[in-house]
Amino acid sequence: MTDEPLILGIETSCDETGVGIVRGHTLLADAVASSVDEHARFGGVVPEVASRAHLEAMVPTIERACATAGITPYDVDAVAVTSGPGLAGALLVGVAAAKALAIGLGKPIYGVNHLAAHVAVDQLEHGALPEPCLAMLVSGGHSSLLRVEDVTTGVAPLGSTIDDAAGEAFDKVARLLGLPFPGGPHIDRAAREGHVTIDFPRGLTSRRDLERHRFDFSFSGLKTAVARWVETQQRDGVVIDVGDVAASFQEAVCDVLVRKAIDAATDQGIEDILIGGGVAANSRLRAMATERAGAQGIRVRVPRPGLCTDNGAMVAALGAELVARGRPPSALDLPADSSQPVTEVVV
Ligand code: KG4
Ligand code: ZN
């Protein structure tokens, strides 16, 4: 096996069935089948619906990825799969499929951490990760600041949300503004038509909060503040400018995220911030982070939006790094662990 291993990665932790194929740091295919439309009318992901959709999409998505990459499954050096964290039933489908492939092909299997994969994916776009780097993962399920020395051996959590995840806040605020699920992209778009006119609260930034929660986040107070503001306007018969509310809410989220990421990087003596997860697709977050960090001599790396939201390429990217660095594979009876800790890169 070379240091440019050919890896097939499978992702099914939430509502995207992702199959990615990479050779080392080179992306060959990134096939994604999403069940998001089936969840939209419920305003959130329904686990049973997601599991069923993964089952139906799995084989066609593997076939599509192989056809795009111009390979057959027999060519791969190893199979990587998200083992956790995520929805238990959804993870099970991916892990079962990966086991079947690995056994059928006689190839090793790596059950990998979804969050570490969100970090590793950036290698496909910007090359080897700086070591160390400060990773900020912001998705529908997580908001964390992590110190990453070597993405294959472990990541050290510095802080995380104490209530809602950043993406969850985007989704909930979108809902109360009457925007479709998932709300992040819709708020992003609406905000471009609006202006920052409302000064919404920045959670855990007061001097007292910083003593205990310097690198932690809280978004539930912000969500409530937006809800109260909207209610008050409606009660007074004022027509709400959705663009202005979206822009003001987005500004408050991005301000806290960027402030804390820069503070953590500075505290750790790290000069590179990497942003990953679905919320990293947000245009204001990307611009604000690059501008403010740049002013402090800190570089910012963010994968392109399609690689920020859940996909199989990120799993393959982490698998390739594990193989290239000679890390041992998982046992064939590896579990799907819905609460896999961020410190456990491979099960
Ligand atoms: O990483 P991801 O695809 O799935 C999880 O692991 O959760 O993240 C999905 C989240 C959703 O909450 C979605 O609203 C948010 O990412 N998101 C965005 C944007 N695109 C996706 N949030 C803000 N701005 C965006 N452009
Ligand atoms: Zn994710």
Side-chain angles (χ1 to χ4, degrees):
M1 211 179 290
T2 65
D3 61 351
E4 293 253 288
L6 183 68
I7 308 294
L8 183 144
I10 297 178
E11 154 63 34
T12 62
S13 69
C14 193
D15 59 341
E16 330 279 358
T17 311
V19 179
I21 297 171
V22 308
R23 188 183 293 283
H25 291 171
T26 308
L27 177 61
L28 303 181
D30 184 19
V32 178
S34 178
S35 60
V36 67
D37 294 342
E38 295 175 53
H39 307 288
R41 70 193 168 103
F42 300 105
V45 175
V46 183
E48 291 77 5
V49 174
S51 306
R52 171 71 53 183
H54 286 310
L55 211 50
E56 286 167 4
M58 184 54 67
V59 171
T61 311
I62 292 173
E63 286 172 348
R64 193 149 53 88
C66 287
T68 306
I71 65 152
T72 76
Y74 295 100
D75 298 327
V76 307
D77 293 313
V79 177
V81 60
T82 302
S83 50
L87 301 171
L91 289 166
L92 265 179
V93 179
V95 169
K99 285 179 182 173
L101 260 183
I103 293 170
L105 301 171
K107 298 291 165 68
I109 183 170
Y110 290 80
V112 305
N113 190 299
H114 181 81
L115 300 179
H118 269 304
V119 175
V121 73
D122 191 58
Q123 303 204 126
L124 300 178
E125 201 162 4
H126 300 118
L129 291 176
E131 294 180 346
C133 71
L134 189 286
M136 177 163 72
L137 289 188
V138 274
S139 71
H142 303 272
S143 306
S144 330
L145 288 172
L146 313 164
R147 180 185 171 96
V148 183
E149 294 290 340
D150 169 349
V151 72
T152 66
T153 52
V155 293
L158 302 173
S160 62
T161 181
I162 60 166
D163 42 55
D164 292 350
E168 209 178 337
F170 270 95
D171 295 339
K172 287 178 176 171
V173 166
R175 192 173 185 176
L176 63 94
L177 292 177
L179 298 170
F181 174 83
H186 296 280
I187 293 216
D188 196 343
R189 218 167 297 133
R192 280 180 226 150
E193 309 292 317
H195 299 94
V196 179
T197 52
I198 313 150
D199 189 19
F200 285 127
R202 271 64 170 161
L204 299 184
T205 56
S206 72
R207 188 177 296 187
R208 200 156 142 252
D209 284 335
L210 286 175
E211 278 169 22
R212 282 188 55 220
H213 292 291
R214 184 167 168 196
F215 303 133
D216 292 327
F217 302 106
S218 166
F219 297 109
S220 85
L222 169 60
K223 174 201 66 194
T224 308
V226 178
R228 292 261 157 75
W229 192 90
V230 169
E231 272 162 30
T232 309
Q233 300 296 305
Q234 283 171 339
R235 199 183 52 219
D236 297 345
V238 179
V239 178
I240 294 164
D241 186 321
V242 171
D244 285 358
V245 182
S248 305
F249 158 76
Q250 179 174 272
E251 194 70 10
V253 175
C254 295
D255 181 26
V256 178
L257 291 175
V258 172
R259 252 199 257 180
K260 295 211 175 202
I262 293 175
D263 186 28
T266 310
D267 178 66
Q268 296 284 313
I270 297 177
E271 292 175 349
D272 293 271
I273 293 176
L274 186 141
I275 312 180
V279 180
N282 185 267
S283 59
R284 180 66 184 131
L285 179 62
R286 299 166 80 95
M288 189 194 280
T290 308
E291 188 191 317
R292 287 200 203 164
Q296 314 241 5
I298 295 172
R299 291 175 291 267
V300 174
R301 290 168 51 141
V302 198
R304 64 181 142 83
L307 292 178
C308 288
T309 46
D310 290 349
N311 61 78
M314 65 193 224
V315 180
L318 179 53
E321 199 58 26
L322 287 160
V323 172
R325 295 198 184 210
R327 308 287 178 231
S330 305
L332 264 178
D333 63 350
L334 75 139
D337 180 357
S338 60
S339 52
Q340 187 170 335
V342 67
T343 45
E344 192 181 23
V345 177
V346 188
V347 286

